[in-house]
Amino acid sequence: MTEIVKLAEEAERAMTAASSLEALEEARLSVLGKKGWLSAALKELGALNAEERKARAQQLNEVKDRLAAVLESRKTALNDAAIEARLKAERLDMTLPLNESAEAQGRIHPVSQVIDEITEIFAAMGFSIAEGPDIEDDFHNFTALNMPPEHPARQMQDTFYLPKRGADGEQIVLRTHTSPVQIRTMRGGPPPHRIVVPGRTYRSDYDMTHTPMFHQVEGLVIDRTTHMGHLKGVLTEFCKAFFETENVKMRFRPSYFPFTEPSAEVDINCSREGGVLRVGEGDDWLEILGSGMVHPRVLQHCGLDPNEWQGFAFGMGIDRIAMLKYGIPDLRAFFDADLRWLKHYGFVPLDIPTLGQGVAR
Ligand code: PHE
């Protein structure tokens, strides 16, 4: 009797003092394990006579229940403490400054950087940003832009045609330029319009300066009195701001696009001395964009009366001017996803949100 009481007290002390789940398990085994004293005592019950057995069994069961309760409460306490400790160890202090080691930080791709720069400059002139789908139908990419079927200009665009047709039987293409967004904008709401459209464009072409996917930014202004002088002024302001020089000379060279009349290609002056290209210096010329006054037939396709509305449009290769501004020689590397290249030519992000970064793209 007293021996069991003593053992039970000892076991209770050991359990209460157990500082880990392992220690607690050890204490449990010494009581209730195969070789534990309580298991042994229970086994011995069989050898007793009925009366003794009843009293003994009652005592042993009380001890057993008591120790089971102690065991359970200690287990809960230890588990809680373990969770608490883990939470403490894993806690994130959201107020700590970021670890901004250059290694841990990503880079902004030159194309994203240049899109930000371009859109910011035009935003400052009152333009907003529009977008359209990469997968276009024939109507928006060609017909509405005054390139009816069989128009020779279609052949110049090295178009990727998709095998499926649209619901209305329209031929589906990967857009060859951002100009279809002119159509979507003019058909989407009433003028005036003043938008820039950065985005991906596709043509079947591949060499040092051409990739099958490339980027353009489209510009469109439609109002009642917008004229060629506005086109010239806007693009001149843009070039000065983008190339960060007052000296850049521009040449508006007569050209042809089916969707503008008159049309002009714009060159900027550069020097190629010593094999290094410098924008805004020297007497050489470099073509950077196509532009013109929106063709009356394009306006009509969009339900606008050319006697009431007029304006200009332009389209510029983004990758091309990124290469120019930042001296990147091979366009193909832009899209190789080589992190070494990105580390070299990419831009460290600023924490200060700029207008361009705030724009949804
Ligand atoms: N969409 C033309 C191209 O890709 C560029 C352009 C846009 C020309 C708008 C005139 C007006 O070559």
Coordinates of all heavy atoms in Angstrom, one line a residue, residues 178-249:
T178 N 1.2 48.4 -82.9 CA 0.2 48.8 -81.9 C -0.9 49.7 -82.5 O -1.8 50.0 -81.8 CB 0.9 49.6 -80.7 OG1 1.9 50.5 -81.3 CG2 1.6 48.6 -79.8
S179 N -0.8 49.9 -83.8 CA -1.9 50.8 -84.4 C -3.3 50.3 -84.2 O -4.2 51.1 -84.2 CB -1.5 51.0 -85.9 OG -0.3 51.6 -86.0
P180 N -3.6 48.9 -84.1 CA -5.0 48.6 -83.9 C -5.6 49.2 -82.7 O -6.8 49.3 -82.6 CB -4.9 47.0 -83.8 CG -3.5 46.6 -83.9 CD -2.7 47.8 -84.4
V181 N -4.8 49.6 -81.7 CA -5.3 50.2 -80.5 C -5.9 51.6 -80.9 O -6.7 52.1 -80.2 CB -4.3 50.2 -79.4 CG1 -5.0 50.7 -78.1 CG2 -3.7 48.8 -79.1
Q182 N -5.4 52.2 -81.9 CA -6.0 53.5 -82.4 C -7.5 53.2 -82.7 O -8.3 54.0 -82.3 CB -5.3 53.9 -83.8 CG -3.9 54.5 -83.7 CD -3.6 55.0 -85.1 OE1 -4.4 55.5 -85.8 NE2 -2.3 54.9 -85.4
I183 N -7.7 52.1 -83.4 CA -9.1 51.8 -83.8 C -9.9 51.5 -82.6 O -11.0 52.0 -82.5 CB -9.1 50.5 -84.8 CG1 -8.1 50.7 -86.0 CG2 -10.5 50.2 -85.2 CD1 -8.4 51.9 -86.8
R184 N -9.4 50.6 -81.7 CA -10.1 50.3 -80.5 C -10.5 51.5 -79.7 O -11.6 51.6 -79.1 CB -9.3 49.3 -79.7 CG -9.3 47.9 -80.3 CD -8.6 46.9 -79.5 NE -8.6 45.6 -80.2 CZ -9.6 44.8 -80.2 NH1 -10.7 45.0 -79.5 NH2 -9.6 43.7 -80.9
T185 N -9.5 52.5 -79.6 CA -9.8 53.7 -78.8 C -10.9 54.6 -79.5 O -11.8 55.0 -78.8 CB -8.5 54.5 -78.7 OG1 -7.5 53.7 -78.1 CG2 -8.7 55.8 -77.9
M186 N -10.7 54.7 -80.8 CA -11.7 55.6 -81.5 C -13.1 55.0 -81.5 O -14.1 55.7 -81.5 CB -11.2 56.0 -82.9 CG -10.0 57.0 -82.9 SD -9.6 57.6 -84.5 CE -8.5 56.3 -85.1
R187 N -13.1 53.7 -81.6 CA -14.5 53.0 -81.7 C -15.0 52.9 -80.2 O -16.2 52.6 -80.1 CB -14.4 51.7 -82.3 CG -14.2 51.8 -83.9 CD -13.8 50.5 -84.5 NE -14.9 49.5 -84.5 CZ -15.7 49.3 -85.5 NH1 -15.6 50.1 -86.6 NH2 -16.6 48.4 -85.4
G188 N -14.1 53.0 -79.3 CA -14.5 52.7 -77.9 C -15.2 53.9 -77.2 O -15.8 53.7 -76.1
G189 N -15.0 55.1 -77.7 CA -15.6 56.2 -77.0 C -15.5 57.5 -77.8 O -14.7 57.5 -78.8
P190 N -16.1 58.5 -77.4 CA -16.1 59.8 -78.2 C -14.8 60.5 -78.1 O -14.1 60.4 -77.1 CB -17.3 60.6 -77.7 CG -17.4 60.1 -76.2 CD -16.9 58.7 -76.2
P191 N -14.4 61.3 -79.1 CA -13.2 62.1 -79.0 C -13.5 63.3 -78.1 O -14.7 63.5 -77.8 CB -13.0 62.6 -80.5 CG -14.3 62.3 -81.2 CD -15.1 61.4 -80.4
P192 N -12.6 64.1 -77.6 CA -11.1 64.0 -78.1 C -10.4 62.8 -77.5 O -10.8 62.3 -76.4 CB -10.6 65.3 -77.5 CG -11.5 65.7 -76.4 CD -12.8 65.2 -76.7
H193 N -9.3 62.4 -78.1 CA -8.5 61.3 -77.7 C -7.0 61.8 -77.6 O -6.6 62.5 -78.4 CB -8.5 60.1 -78.6 CG -9.8 59.5 -78.8 ND1 -10.5 58.8 -77.8 CD2 -10.7 59.4 -79.8 CE1 -11.7 58.4 -78.2 NE2 -11.8 58.7 -79.4
R194 N -6.4 61.4 -76.5 CA -5.0 61.7 -76.4 C -4.3 60.5 -75.6 O -4.3 60.5 -74.4 CB -4.8 63.0 -75.7 CG -3.4 63.6 -75.9 CD -3.3 64.9 -75.1 NE -4.1 66.0 -75.6 CZ -4.1 67.2 -75.0 NH1 -3.4 67.4 -73.9 NH2 -4.8 68.2 -75.5
I195 N -3.8 59.5 -76.4 CA -3.3 58.3 -75.7 C -1.9 57.9 -76.2 O -1.5 58.2 -77.3 CB -4.3 57.1 -76.0 CG1 -4.5 56.9 -77.5 CG2 -5.6 57.3 -75.3 CD1 -4.8 55.5 -77.9
V196 N -1.2 57.2 -75.4 CA -0.1 56.4 -75.8 C -0.3 55.0 -75.4 O -1.0 54.7 -74.4 CB 1.3 56.9 -75.2 CG1 1.8 58.1 -75.9 CG2 1.1 57.1 -73.7
V197 N 0.2 54.1 -76.3 CA -0.1 52.7 -76.2 C 1.2 51.9 -76.2 O 1.8 51.6 -77.3 CB -0.9 52.2 -77.3 CG1 -1.3 50.7 -77.2 CG2 -2.1 53.1 -77.5
P198 N 1.8 51.5 -75.0 CA 3.0 50.6 -75.1 C 2.5 49.2 -75.2 O 1.5 48.8 -74.6 CB 3.7 50.9 -73.7 CG 2.6 51.4 -72.8 CD 1.4 51.9 -73.7
G199 N 3.3 48.4 -75.9 CA 2.9 47.0 -75.9 C 3.7 46.1 -76.8 O 4.6 46.6 -77.5
R200 N 3.4 44.8 -76.8 CA 4.2 43.8 -77.6 C 3.6 43.7 -79.0 O 2.4 43.8 -79.2 CB 4.1 42.4 -77.0 CG 4.7 42.3 -75.6 CD 4.8 40.9 -75.2 NE 5.4 40.8 -73.9 CZ 4.6 40.6 -72.8 NH1 3.3 40.5 -72.9 NH2 5.2 40.6 -71.6
T201 N 4.5 43.5 -79.9 CA 4.1 43.4 -81.3 C 4.9 42.2 -81.9 O 5.9 41.9 -81.3 CB 4.3 44.7 -82.1 OG1 5.7 45.2 -81.8 CG2 3.4 45.8 -81.7
Y202 N 4.4 41.7 -83.0 CA 5.0 40.5 -83.6 C 5.2 40.5 -85.1 O 4.3 40.9 -85.8 CB 4.1 39.3 -83.2 CG 3.8 39.2 -81.7 CD1 2.8 40.0 -81.2 CD2 4.5 38.4 -80.9 CE1 2.5 39.9 -79.8 CE2 4.2 38.3 -79.5 CZ 3.2 39.1 -79.0 OH 2.9 39.0 -77.7
R203 N 6.4 40.1 -85.5 CA 6.6 39.9 -86.9 C 7.6 38.9 -87.1 O 8.6 38.7 -86.3 CB 7.1 41.2 -87.6 CG 6.1 42.3 -87.7 CD 6.6 43.6 -88.4 NE 5.8 44.7 -88.0 CZ 5.9 45.9 -88.4 NH1 6.9 46.2 -89.3 NH2 5.1 46.9 -88.0
S204 N 7.5 38.1 -88.2 CA 8.4 37.0 -88.5 C 9.7 37.5 -89.0 O 9.9 37.6 -90.2 CB 7.7 36.0 -89.4 OG 8.5 34.9 -89.7
D205 N 10.6 37.7 -88.1 CA 11.9 38.4 -88.5 C 12.9 38.1 -87.4 O 12.5 38.1 -86.2 CB 11.7 39.9 -88.6 CG 12.6 40.5 -89.6 OD1 13.5 39.8 -90.1 OD2 12.4 41.7 -90.0
Y206 N 14.1 37.8 -87.7 CA 15.1 37.6 -86.6 C 16.6 37.9 -87.1 O 17.1 37.2 -88.0 CB 15.0 36.1 -86.2 CG 15.8 35.7 -85.0 CD1 15.5 36.3 -83.7 CD2 16.9 34.9 -85.0 CE1 16.2 35.9 -82.6 CE2 17.6 34.6 -83.9 CZ 17.2 35.1 -82.7 OH 17.9 34.8 -81.5
D207 N 17.2 38.9 -86.5 CA 18.6 39.2 -86.7 C 19.1 40.1 -85.6 O 18.4 40.3 -84.6 CB 18.9 39.8 -88.1 CG 18.1 41.1 -88.4 OD1 17.9 41.8 -87.4 OD2 17.7 41.3 -89.6
M208 N 20.2 40.8 -85.8 CA 20.8 41.6 -84.7 C 19.8 42.7 -84.2 O 19.8 43.1 -83.1 CB 22.0 42.4 -85.3 CG 23.3 41.7 -85.2 SD 24.1 41.9 -83.6 CE 24.9 43.5 -83.8
T209 N 19.0 43.2 -85.1 CA 18.1 44.3 -84.7 C 16.6 43.9 -84.9 O 15.7 44.8 -84.8 CB 18.3 45.6 -85.6 OG1 18.3 45.2 -87.0 CG2 19.7 46.1 -85.3
H210 N 16.3 42.6 -85.1 CA 14.9 42.2 -85.2 C 14.7 40.9 -84.4 O 15.4 40.0 -84.5 CB 14.5 42.0 -86.6 CG 14.5 43.2 -87.5 ND1 15.7 43.6 -88.1 CD2 13.6 44.1 -87.7 CE1 15.4 44.7 -88.8 NE2 14.2 45.1 -88.6
T211 N 13.6 40.9 -83.6 CA 13.2 39.7 -82.9 C 11.7 39.5 -83.3 O 11.0 40.5 -83.5 CB 13.3 39.8 -81.4 OG1 12.7 41.0 -81.0 CG2 14.8 39.7 -81.0
P212 N 11.2 38.2 -83.3 CA 9.8 38.0 -83.7 C 8.8 38.7 -82.7 O 7.7 39.0 -83.1 CB 9.6 36.5 -83.6 CG 11.0 35.9 -83.3 CD 12.0 37.0 -83.1
M213 N 9.2 38.9 -81.5 CA 8.4 39.7 -80.6 C 9.2 41.0 -80.3 O 10.4 40.8 -80.0 CB 8.1 38.9 -79.3 CG 7.0 39.5 -78.4 SD 7.7 40.9 -77.4 CE 9.0 40.0 -76.4
F214 N 8.6 42.1 -80.4 CA 9.3 43.3 -80.0 C 8.2 44.3 -79.4 O 7.1 43.9 -79.2 CB 10.0 43.9 -81.2 CG 9.1 44.2 -82.4 CD1 8.8 45.5 -82.7 CD2 8.6 43.2 -83.2 CE1 7.9 45.8 -83.8 CE2 7.8 43.5 -84.3 CZ 7.4 44.8 -84.6
H215 N 8.7 45.5 -79.1 CA 7.7 46.4 -78.4 C 7.6 47.7 -79.2 O 8.6 48.2 -79.8 CB 8.2 46.8 -77.0 CG 8.3 45.6 -76.1 ND1 9.3 44.7 -76.1 CD2 7.4 45.1 -75.2 CE1 9.1 43.7 -75.2 NE2 7.9 44.0 -74.6
Q216 N 6.4 48.2 -79.2 CA 6.2 49.5 -79.8 C 5.4 50.4 -78.8 O 4.8 49.9 -77.9 CB 5.3 49.4 -81.1 CG 6.0 48.8 -82.3 CD 5.1 49.0 -83.5 OE1 3.9 49.2 -83.5 NE2 5.8 48.9 -84.7
V217 N 5.5 51.7 -79.1 CA 4.5 52.6 -78.4 C 3.9 53.4 -79.5 O 4.5 54.0 -80.3 CB 5.2 53.5 -77.3 CG1 6.3 54.4 -77.9 CG2 4.2 54.2 -76.5
E218 N 2.5 53.4 -79.4 CA 1.7 54.1 -80.3 C 1.3 55.4 -79.7 O 1.1 55.5 -78.5 CB 0.5 53.3 -80.6 CG -0.4 53.7 -81.8 CD 0.2 53.2 -83.1 OE1 1.1 52.4 -83.1 OE2 -0.3 53.7 -84.2
G219 N 1.1 56.4 -80.5 CA 0.5 57.7 -80.0 C -0.7 58.1 -80.9 O -0.7 57.8 -82.1
L220 N -1.7 58.6 -80.2 CA -2.8 59.1 -81.0 C -3.5 60.3 -80.4 O -3.7 60.3 -79.2 CB -3.9 58.0 -81.1 CG -5.2 58.3 -81.8 CD1 -5.1 58.5 -83.3 CD2 -6.3 57.3 -81.4
V221 N -3.6 61.3 -81.2 CA -4.4 62.5 -80.7 C -5.5 62.8 -81.7 O -5.2 63.0 -82.9 CB -3.4 63.8 -80.6 CG1 -4.2 65.0 -80.2 CG2 -2.3 63.5 -79.5
I222 N -6.7 62.9 -81.3 CA -7.8 63.2 -82.1 C -8.6 64.4 -81.5 O -8.9 64.3 -80.3 CB -8.8 62.1 -82.3 CG1 -8.1 60.9 -83.0 CG2 -10.0 62.5 -83.1 CD1 -7.7 61.1 -84.5
D223 N -8.7 65.5 -82.2 CA -9.5 66.6 -81.7 C -10.0 67.4 -82.9 O -9.9 66.9 -84.0 CB -8.6 67.5 -80.9 CG -9.3 68.2 -79.7 OD1 -10.5 68.5 -79.9 OD2 -8.7 68.4 -78.7
R224 N -10.5 68.6 -82.7 CA -11.1 69.2 -83.9 C -10.1 70.0 -84.7 O -10.3 70.1 -85.9 CB -12.2 70.2 -83.4 CG -13.4 69.5 -82.8 CD -14.4 70.5 -82.3 NE -15.4 69.8 -81.5 CZ -16.5 69.1 -82.0 NH1 -16.6 69.1 -83.3 NH2 -17.3 68.5 -81.2
T225 N -9.1 70.5 -84.1 CA -8.1 71.4 -84.8 C -6.7 70.9 -84.7 O -5.8 71.6 -85.1 CB -8.2 72.8 -84.2 OG1 -7.9 72.7 -82.8 CG2 -9.6 73.4 -84.4
T226 N -6.5 69.7 -84.3 CA -5.1 69.1 -84.2 C -4.5 69.0 -85.5 O -5.1 68.5 -86.5 CB -5.2 67.7 -83.5 OG1 -5.8 67.9 -82.3 CG2 -3.8 67.2 -83.3
H227 N -3.3 69.6 -85.7 CA -2.6 69.6 -87.0 C -1.2 69.1 -86.9 O -0.7 68.8 -85.8 CB -2.7 71.0 -87.6 CG -2.2 72.1 -86.8 ND1 -0.9 72.2 -86.5 CD2 -2.8 73.1 -86.1 CE1 -0.7 73.3 -85.7 NE2 -1.9 73.8 -85.4
M228 N -0.5 69.1 -88.1 CA 0.8 68.6 -88.2 C 1.8 69.3 -87.3 O 2.8 68.7 -86.8 CB 1.2 68.8 -89.7 CG 2.3 68.0 -90.2 SD 1.8 66.3 -90.7 CE 3.4 65.7 -91.1
G229 N 1.6 70.6 -87.0 CA 2.4 71.4 -86.1 C 2.4 70.8 -84.7 O 3.5 70.7 -84.1
H230 N 1.2 70.3 -84.3 CA 1.2 69.7 -83.0 C 2.0 68.4 -82.9 O 2.7 68.1 -82.0 CB -0.3 69.4 -82.6 CG -1.1 70.6 -82.5 ND1 -2.3 70.8 -83.1 CD2 -1.0 71.7 -81.7 CE1 -2.9 71.9 -82.8 NE2 -2.0 72.5 -82.0
L231 N 1.9 67.6 -84.0 CA 2.6 66.4 -84.1 C 4.1 66.7 -84.0 O 4.8 66.0 -83.2 CB 2.4 65.7 -85.5 CG 3.3 64.6 -86.0 CD1 3.2 63.4 -85.1 CD2 3.0 64.2 -87.4
K232 N 4.6 67.7 -84.7 CA 6.0 68.0 -84.7 C 6.4 68.5 -83.3 O 7.4 68.1 -82.8 CB 6.2 69.2 -85.7 CG 7.5 69.0 -86.4 CD 7.7 70.1 -87.5 CE 9.2 70.3 -87.7 NZ 9.4 71.3 -88.7
G233 N 5.6 69.3 -82.7 CA 5.9 69.9 -81.4 C 5.9 68.8 -80.3 O 6.9 68.7 -79.5
V234 N 5.0 67.9 -80.3 CA 4.9 66.8 -79.3 C 6.1 65.9 -79.5 O 6.8 65.6 -78.5 CB 3.6 66.0 -79.5 CG1 3.7 64.7 -78.8 CG2 2.4 66.8 -78.9
L235 N 6.5 65.5 -80.7 CA 7.6 64.6 -80.9 C 8.9 65.3 -80.6 O 9.9 64.6 -80.1 CB 7.6 64.0 -82.3 CG 6.4 63.1 -82.6 CD1 6.4 62.6 -84.0 CD2 6.4 61.9 -81.6
T236 N 9.0 66.6 -80.9 CA 10.3 67.3 -80.6 C 10.5 67.3 -79.0 O 11.5 67.0 -78.5 CB 10.2 68.7 -81.1 OG1 10.0 68.6 -82.5 CG2 11.5 69.5 -80.9
E237 N 9.4 67.7 -78.3 CA 9.5 67.7 -76.9 C 9.8 66.3 -76.3 O 10.7 66.2 -75.4 CB 8.1 68.1 -76.3 CG 7.8 69.5 -76.2 CD 9.0 70.3 -75.5 OE1 9.3 70.0 -74.4 OE2 9.5 71.2 -76.2
F238 N 9.2 65.3 -76.9 CA 9.5 63.9 -76.5 C 11.0 63.6 -76.6 O 11.6 63.1 -75.7 CB 8.7 62.9 -77.2 CG 9.1 61.5 -77.0 CD1 8.9 60.9 -75.8 CD2 9.9 60.9 -77.9 CE1 9.4 59.6 -75.5 CE2 10.4 59.6 -77.7 CZ 10.2 59.0 -76.5
C239 N 11.5 63.9 -77.8 CA 12.9 63.5 -78.1 C 13.9 64.2 -77.1 O 14.8 63.6 -76.6 CB 13.3 63.8 -79.5 SG 12.7 62.5 -80.6
K240 N 13.6 65.5 -76.9 CA 14.5 66.2 -76.0 C 14.4 65.6 -74.6 O 15.5 65.4 -73.9 CB 14.0 67.7 -75.9 CG 14.4 68.5 -77.1 CD 14.0 70.0 -76.8 CE 14.2 70.8 -78.1 NZ 13.5 72.1 -77.9
A241 N 13.2 65.3 -74.1 CA 13.1 64.8 -72.8 C 13.7 63.4 -72.7 O 14.4 63.0 -71.7 CB 11.6 64.8 -72.4
F242 N 13.4 62.6 -73.7 CA 13.8 61.2 -73.6 C 15.4 61.0 -73.8 O 16.0 60.3 -73.0 CB 13.2 60.3 -74.7 CG 13.5 58.9 -74.7 CD1 12.9 58.0 -73.7 CD2 14.5 58.3 -75.5 CE1 13.3 56.7 -73.6 CE2 14.9 57.0 -75.4 CZ 14.3 56.2 -74.5
F243 N 15.9 61.7 -74.7 CA 17.4 61.6 -74.9 C 18.2 62.6 -74.0 O 19.4 62.7 -74.1 CB 17.8 61.8 -76.4 CG 17.3 60.6 -77.2 CD1 16.3 60.8 -78.1 CD2 17.9 59.4 -77.1 CE1 15.8 59.7 -78.9 CE2 17.5 58.3 -77.9 CZ 16.4 58.4 -78.7
E244 N 17.4 63.4 -73.2 CA 18.0 64.3 -72.2 C 19.0 65.2 -72.8 O 20.1 65.4 -72.3 CB 18.6 63.4 -71.1 CG 17.6 62.6 -70.3 CD 18.2 61.6 -69.4 OE1 19.4 61.8 -69.0 OE2 17.5 60.6 -69.1
T245 N 18.6 65.8 -74.0 CA 19.5 66.8 -74.6 C 18.6 67.8 -75.3 O 17.6 67.5 -76.0 CB 20.5 66.2 -75.5 OG1 21.0 67.2 -76.4 CG2 19.9 65.1 -76.4
E246 N 19.0 69.1 -75.2 CA 18.3 70.2 -76.0 C 18.7 70.2 -77.4 O 18.1 70.8 -78.3 CB 18.6 71.5 -75.3 CG 17.8 71.9 -74.1 CD 16.3 71.9 -74.3 OE1 15.9 72.7 -75.3 OE2 15.6 71.3 -73.6
N247 N 19.8 69.5 -77.7 CA 20.5 69.7 -79.0 C 20.0 68.7 -80.1 O 20.4 68.9 -81.2 CB 22.0 69.6 -78.9 CG 22.6 70.6 -77.9 OD1 22.0 71.7 -77.7 ND2 23.6 70.2 -77.1
V248 N 19.2 67.7 -79.7 CA 18.9 66.7 -80.7 C 18.2 67.4 -81.9 O 17.2 68.1 -81.7 CB 18.1 65.6 -80.0 CG1 16.8 66.0 -79.5 CG2 17.9 64.4 -81.0
K249 N 18.7 67.1 -83.1 CA 18.1 67.6 -84.3 C 17.1 66.6 -84.8 O 17.4 65.4 -84.8 CB 19.1 68.0 -85.3 CG 19.8 69.3 -85.0 CD 20.8 69.6 -86.2 CE 22.1 70.1 -85.7 NZ 23.3 69.5 -86.4

